[in-house]
């Protein structure tokens, strides 16, 4: 059998030929080529400093020395004998005291002794060893605060002074505790035989704790004949 040929083959060839030219290159088709004369030169990308201004060489700096045209002052004379005066000053003058030095290395390097910290010059100050004023004030404030604290403690101790219970008050207190124990015990006896809920269990535990605490208090009051309480 003959091979199948599509009837759209000529039209596809024609469209492919028409759309092929724009896809030949990436980017614009025509690009200006760089000139070979504009090649990259050495130090061309470094920042350039502005041109140096030429200084005016005609202006000379002002000098403090006398000029060649200046003339010295004439007519001034002195009868002083400088040689004799210098000799007398050298004989009668005090000799120059050498600066105190210290050597701390075997190479012989010298350093000033005054600035080394080895000279005890601070002990001769007028306020050496004197307590500073701010420390004295702080100590006084601390003493004052301590005294106020002790006075407050004494006052609190007086307020919280212990008071002794009389025999009658102790007996009344024991009778009241026993009465409370009886009421709690009566309530404990009224509990149901079967305790099957959480609330009933908690209620039973609370009654048992109250009875134990009351029994402990009654025992302590009956054991000790002398009891003190605070005035609160």
């Amino acid at each position: 059998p003959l091979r199948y040929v599509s009837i759209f083959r000529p039209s596809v060839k024609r469209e492919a030929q028409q759309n092929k030219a724009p896809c030949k290159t990436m980017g614009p088709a025509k690009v200006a080529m760089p000139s070979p004369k504009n090649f990259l030169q050495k130090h061309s990308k470094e920042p350039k400093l502005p041109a140096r201004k030429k200084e005016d060489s005609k202006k000379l700096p002002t000098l403090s020395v006398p000029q060649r045209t200046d003339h010295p002052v004439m007519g001034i004379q002195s009868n002083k004998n400088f040689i004799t005066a210098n000799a007398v000053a050298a004989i009668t003058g005090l000799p120059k005291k050498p600066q105190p030095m210290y050597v701390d290395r075997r190479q012989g390097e010298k350093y000033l002794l005054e600035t080394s910290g080895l000279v005890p010059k601070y002990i001769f100050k007028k306020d050496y060893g004197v307590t500073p004023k701010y420390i004295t004030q702080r100590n006084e404030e601390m003493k004052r605060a301590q005294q106020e604290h002790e006075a407050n403690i004494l006052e609190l101790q007086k307020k919280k002074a212990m008071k002794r219970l009389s025999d009658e008050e102790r007996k009344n207190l024991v009778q009241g505790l026993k009465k409370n124990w009886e009421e709690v015990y009566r309530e404990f006896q009224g509990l149901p035989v079967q305790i099957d809920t959480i609330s009933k269990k908690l209620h039973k535990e609370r009654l048992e704790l109250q009875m134990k605490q009351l029994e402990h208090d009654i025992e302590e009051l009956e054991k000790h004949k002398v009891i003190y309480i605070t005035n609160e």
Side-chain angles (χ1 to χ4, degrees), residues 127-210:
D127 56 349
Y128 180 79
V130 180
T131 307
K133 293 182 179 180
Y134 73 93
I135 295 180
T136 306
Q137 295 177 359
R138 187 180 299 173
N139 293 336
E140 292 177 356
E141 292 176 357
M142 291 175 63
K143 288 181 180 178
R144 196 180 305 111
Q146 185 66 23
Q147 292 175 359
E148 292 177 357
H149 180 65
E150 292 177 357
N152 293 333
I153 291 175
L154 291 174
E155 187 176 356
L156 290 174
Q157 288 179 355
K158 290 180 181 178
K159 290 181 179 180
K160 297 180 179 180
M162 306 298 288
K163 178 184 177 182
R164 180 178 176 179
L165 285 178
S166 61
D167 295 338
E168 185 178 357
E169 291 176 347
R170 187 176 62 83
K171 290 178 181 179
N172 293 335
L173 187 58
V174 172
Q175 290 177 1
L177 291 175
K178 288 182 178 180
K179 186 178 179 180
N180 292 339
W181 184 87
E182 290 176 357
E183 292 178 358
V184 176
Y185 183 71
R186 190 181 302 110
E187 187 177 356
F188 181 78
Q189 290 292 332
L191 291 174
V193 178
Q194 186 178 2
I195 300 174
D196 52 355
T197 61
I198 296 175
S199 60
K200 292 179 180 180
K201 291 180 181 179
L202 294 175
H203 185 53
K204 180 183 177 182
E205 292 177 359
R206 183 172 58 82
L207 293 175
E208 290 176 350
L209 289 174
Q210 289 181 1

Side-chain angles (χ1 to χ4, degrees), residues 12 52 73 79 94 204:
V12 171
R52 186 177 179 180
V73 180
N79 297 325
L94 296 175
K204 180 183 177 182

Side-chain angles (χ1 to χ4, degrees), residues 109-120:
E109 297 179 0
K110 296 181 179 180
Y111 303 96
L112 290 176
L113 184 62
E114 184 178 0
T115 58
S116 64
L118 302 174
V119 181

Side-chain angles (χ1 to χ4, degrees), residues 24-91:
K24 282 185 177 180
T25 58
M26 297 294 293
K30 295 181 180 180
V31 179
M33 299 298 292
S35 174
K37 296 181 180 180
N38 299 330
F39 58 88
L40 183 63
Q41 298 181 356
K42 187 177 181 181
H43 304 295
S44 61
K45 292 188 177 182
E46 294 182 358
K48 295 182 180 180
L49 297 176
R52 186 177 179 180
K53 297 181 180 179
K54 294 183 179 179
E55 297 181 357
D56 192 0
S57 59
K58 295 181 180 179
K59 294 183 179 180
L60 297 175
T62 56
L63 302 176
S64 60
V65 297
Q67 296 183 2
R68 186 177 59 180
T69 57
D70 295 344
H71 299 283
V73 180
M74 305 297 290
I76 298 176
Q77 297 180 359
S78 176
N79 297 325
K80 181 179 179 180
N81 190 350
F82 290 95
I83 298 175
T84 307
N86 292 339
V88 171
I91 294 170

Side-chain angles (χ1 to χ4, degrees), residues 121-131:
K121 59 182 180 180
Y122 289 101
I123 62 175
F124 300 108
K125 296 175 66 176
K126 294 181 179 179
D127 56 349
Y128 180 79
V130 180
T131 307

